[in-house]
Amino acid sequence: MMSGLTTHILDLTHGKPAANVAVRLYKFEDSLSDWKLLEESVTNGDGRLDAPLLSGEEMKIGVYQLIFSIGSYFRSQETKLPEPPFLEEVPVQFGISDPSAHYHIPLLVSPWGYQLYRGS
């Protein structure tokens, strides 16, 4: 498999892929001591992005952060949520140590909690 960064979101409350979830990817810039926005995308009907967030030469060693807009997703599903919801955004900070590898980050989510792991 080619090197790259992909994600997949599964809605555990409704037992289906989470479609139309906004996803933002940032990279930590040491020289700026700040996060740089690299990519913004939205999941498709299968809870995946239509293209990798990073691929090939875009893959660099470093610290990254994915932010998943979960609150707006569950509101769009007409899920009864308190205001403010327990989870509005899910930030995931991770490192890429091997730019030639594939990094897949699945997110399993409900309005009350989440789990993620490095998938294949």
Side-chain angles (χ1 to χ4, degrees):
M1 175 170 278
M2 276 183 60
S3 68
L5 173 63
T6 56
T7 190
H8 186 198
I9 306 171
L10 297 173
D11 173 348
L12 296 177
T13 299
H14 299 102
K16 64 181 185 175
N20 299 313
V21 177
V23 178
R24 297 184 313 275
L25 174 67
Y26 295 86
K27 183 174 189 296
F28 187 72
E29 297 291 328
D30 292 323
S31 61
L32 301 175
S33 297
D34 205 4
W35 293 97
K36 177 183 176 190
L37 178 64
L38 298 180
E39 187 69 43
E40 293 180 278
S41 194
V42 176
T43 58
N44 61 25
D46 193 35
R48 300 175 187 272
L49 302 177
D50 289 332
L53 288 159
L54 297 173
S55 61
E57 296 295 317
E58 298 170 324
M59 292 285 289
K60 307 275 187 217
I61 292 173
V63 177
Y64 294 81
Q65 183 169 236
L66 278 171
I67 298 180
F68 301 91
S69 296
I70 294 304
S72 59
Y73 164 74
F74 280 112
R75 280 190 288 280
S76 77
Q77 300 300 298
E78 299 181 1
T79 305
K80 185 175 167 107
L81 300 173
E83 281 301 328
F86 182 68
L87 294 175
E88 184 64 50
E89 293 191 324
V90 174
V92 178
Q93 196 174 108
F94 61 97
I96 291 179
S97 58
D98 180 1
S100 67
H102 180 76
Y103 287 75
H104 182 64
I105 302 176
L107 175 68
L108 310 174
V109 69
S110 83
W112 310 108
Y114 62 91
Q115 180 176 353
L116 80 134
Y117 56 97
R118 182 173 175 195
S120 57

